[in-house]
Amino acid sequence: FSGVTLVIDLKGFKWSDAQFSAAWTLSKMVACRSHLLPETCHRILFVRVPTPFAKAWSMFSYLLDPGTIAKVQMATESETISLLRKFIGDEVIPAYLGGQRHTEGDPYCRKLLAPGGFPPEEALQRLERLIAGDDVYLPPHRRGEASQGEGARCCSICPMQ
């Protein structure tokens, strides 16, 4: 599982979304990901990039690993489809971005793609505790929660025991 292209749609990003603490947390998340899944993500494409994000990137990107920075490419809204077509076929690009992909008639392919927006505050607080080492993740079966049935797993890589 390598050579993944991650596409992040930044339509709607505002200057108020650019926070030093968010950039710091992102750098820690990337560092953790790099230890767990080295070289899984081959490239990161930021699409429909508004001016505030480009400014924030120029201010905070130095916090990231140089290898991560080298994987990043950005495109404004008018440049998005050209950038995507360099790496992804039209049949895979969602229609709302200029490609041909629909999922059950949906040009946003919501059954396949994660929704946008900010994560819940409690999730961000838990992430900060995990990064600080003040919290430990335990899958449901290790917390003593009921199993979801025969052969159930808490995630794609952890068999229930």
Side-chain angles (χ1 to χ4, degrees):
F1 188 68
S2 65
V4 172
T5 296
L6 175 63
V7 178
I8 301 174
D9 183 358
L10 292 171
K11 177 82 172 190
F13 183 92
K14 302 174 294 303
W15 184 250
S16 60
D17 297 328
Q19 301 173 11
F20 180 80
S21 62
W24 183 85
T25 301
L26 176 63
S27 72
K28 292 297 182 185
M29 287 172 39
V30 169
C32 289
R33 186 224 24 107
S34 294
H35 290 298
L36 296 172
L37 300 167
E39 301 307 314
T40 298
C41 190
H42 185 66
R43 71 183 56 87
I44 303 166
L45 306 178
F46 289 115
V47 298
R48 303 197 313 168
V49 175
T51 302
F53 181 83
K55 288 181 182 177
W57 177 260
S58 67
M59 291 171 49
F60 299 130
S61 61
Y62 74 92
L63 295 170
L64 300 173
D65 177 78
T68 300
I69 295 169
K71 295 177 183 184
V72 172
Q73 294 188 43
M74 290 189 220
T76 63
E77 187 150 14
S78 64
E79 301 165 333
T80 289
I81 191 63
S82 296
L83 177 63
L84 291 173
R85 285 178 175 150
K86 286 182 183 178
F87 307 104
I88 305 169
D90 259 3
E91 70 282 357
V92 177
I93 300 170
Y96 86 97
L97 291 174
Q100 299 172 358
R101 182 72 182 244
H102 288 79
T103 303
E104 297 179 6
D106 178 14
Y108 290 89
C109 303
R110 286 175 269 233
K111 285 196 168 196
L112 300 175
L113 303 176
F118 290 100
E121 183 61 32
E122 61 271 11
L124 294 173
Q125 291 170 356
R126 176 112 195 276
L127 175 62
E128 288 175 355
R129 290 193 311 269
L130 285 167
I131 290 170
D134 298 334
D135 200 348
V136 175
Y137 171 76
L138 291 175
H141 67 281
R142 302 228 193 275
R143 286 183 245 150
E145 295 178 15
S147 153
Q148 301 296 319
E150 190 68 32
R153 299 185 300 174
C154 65
C155 62
S156 63
I157 60 171
C158 185
M160 299 278 289
Q161 296 178 353

